[in-house]
Amino acid sequence: MILTNHKDFNLKQTFDCGQCFRWDMNESGVFVGVAGGYVIEAFQTEKEIIIDCPDEDFIIEYFDLKRDYGKIKNSINKDEIIKAAIQLGGGIRLLKQEPWETLVSFIISANNNIPRIKKIINTLCQSYGEKIWHKGEKYYTFPSPEKLAVLTREDLAPIKSGFRDKYIIDAAQKIASGRIDLSSIYNMGSDEGRHVLKQIKGVGDKVADCVLLFAYQKFDVFPKDVWIKRIITNLYNISEKDIDAFVEKKFSSLGGFAQQYLFYFGRC
DNA sequence: GTACAGGTTCCGT
DNA sequence: ACGGAACCTGTA
């Protein structure tokens, strides 16, 4: 699959704005990731983006290719700060990721750093995911809730997730038993979805909001991690308790997009 | 050695 | 209800 008109799509920005953990660049500058049960390769030149995946429909959905990001950027371009952020990270796309994988990934992200988050997820997949062969190399899918629901904390010890192990198991059990139905959240509003997700141990507002935004495309939510709090308080001179009201007033239903541009801007 | 990391839970007022 | 300490592990 080759995309030629990609002014609103940049691979590095998309994979580097903190929404995903399973994409890496190899020696040749090709991004390789596992999603939707496929090993996907993506490469960007000045003129085109080349994506290698057997399922084109999946790619269109995963990279949110039907959406007009130019229009979104215009809508949220309210001041010089967000304007600069859009200038820097205007190629970010919000990936539509698997709810279960996104949920566990952000449970693991709690009080953690990105290299270690990636390492833990990678080890979890190697230990309990399904093997996929690609160009003579082994890759692994993200393990199912059923597979993880029967594990003990001792079983998970090798992945070194620390105190988060019990949260992963709790999530797996609640999903596998059907006590929580992740697919039902697609049809919920953000507040209702957040309430459901927070029934899982290790899921608070921040983790729930990341899942709502990165898996369910609830674009009105604005996940507030320590970085975005620093960025908003410093750049906009807003106190921490006023962030919600500020974001709602400025970006309303498109807060999630603004969050990603500002996050990327603040960290680069 | 010790501080701290994309947060949440637990335990004290 | 509310605020602070504790939490696994790895790295600086």
Side-chain angles (χ1 to χ4, degrees), chain A residues 12 14 26 30 62 67 78 122 131 135 139 192 194 200 263:
Chain A
K12 183 185 179 307
T14 297
N26 69 16
V30 178
Y62 183 74
R67 198 174 312 278
K78 299 287 187 67
N122 202 32
K131 196 181 291 176
K135 296 190 175 173
Y139 293 84
E192 197 185 351
R194 185 181 298 109
I200 296 162
F263 183 88

Side-chain angles (χ1 to χ4, degrees), chain A residues 142-192:
Chain A
F142 196 87
S144 68
E146 291 74 18
K147 189 103 184 194
L148 301 186
V150 297
L151 301 180
T152 63
R153 296 184 69 178
E154 290 70 40
D155 294 327
L156 276 183
I159 76 169
K160 304 285 186 188
S161 59
F163 61 87
R164 307 163 192 83
D165 55 4
K166 55 185 177 290
Y167 303 148
I168 297 171
I169 293 168
D170 180 65
Q173 290 176 349
K174 282 178 174 142
I175 307 308
S177 69
R179 256 194 76 206
I180 290 177
D181 175 15
L182 287 181
S183 65
S184 69
I185 298 176
Y186 284 111
N187 301 314
M188 292 179 186
S190 299
D191 289 341
E192 197 185 351

Side-chain angles (χ1 to χ4, degrees), chain A residues 59-191:
Chain A
I59 294 300
I60 290 168
E61 187 159 292
Y62 183 74
F63 287 103
D64 200 23
L65 295 181
K66 294 278 195 225
R67 198 174 312 278
D68 184 349
Y69 278 67
K71 198 169 143 192
I72 290 164
K73 288 186 276 187
N74 282 336
S75 307
I76 60 174
N77 194 353
K78 299 287 187 67
D79 59 55
E80 291 305 310
I81 294 166
I82 185 81
K83 186 177 175 183
I86 291 171
Q87 219 143 36
L88 184 75
I92 293 172
R93 303 194 77 85
L94 266 79
L95 301 174
K96 185 181 183 184
Q97 304 181 69
E98 293 273 4
W100 166 245
E101 173 173 345
T102 310
L103 171 65
V104 176
S105 297
F106 282 93
I107 285 174
I108 291 170
S109 78
N111 197 28
N112 215 338
N113 55 65
I114 290 172
R116 190 169 160 231
I117 297 165
K118 292 180 81 162
K119 197 171 176 186
I120 293 169
I121 294 172
N122 202 32
T123 311
L124 178 66
C125 294
Q126 281 180 24
S127 305
Y128 297 105
E130 304 289 330
K131 196 181 291 176
I132 312 174
W133 285 96
H134 176 81
K135 296 190 175 173
E137 291 204 56
K138 280 179 278 190
Y139 293 84
Y140 296 87
T141 63
F142 196 87
S144 68
E146 291 74 18
K147 189 103 184 194
L148 301 186
V150 297
L151 301 180
T152 63
R153 296 184 69 178
E154 290 70 40
D155 294 327
L156 276 183
I159 76 169
K160 304 285 186 188
S161 59
F163 61 87
R164 307 163 192 83
D165 55 4
K166 55 185 177 290
Y167 303 148
I168 297 171
I169 293 168
D170 180 65
Q173 290 176 349
K174 282 178 174 142
I175 307 308
S177 69
R179 256 194 76 206
I180 290 177
D181 175 15
L182 287 181
S183 65
S184 69
I185 298 176
Y186 284 111
N187 301 314
M188 292 179 186
S190 299
D191 289 341

Side-chain angles (χ1 to χ4, degrees), chain A residues 229-240:
Chain A
K229 283 179 192 166
R230 277 177 208 156
I231 291 160
I232 300 273
T233 51
N234 292 338
L235 297 183
Y236 284 104
N237 199 25
I238 299 281
S239 75
E240 205 168 306

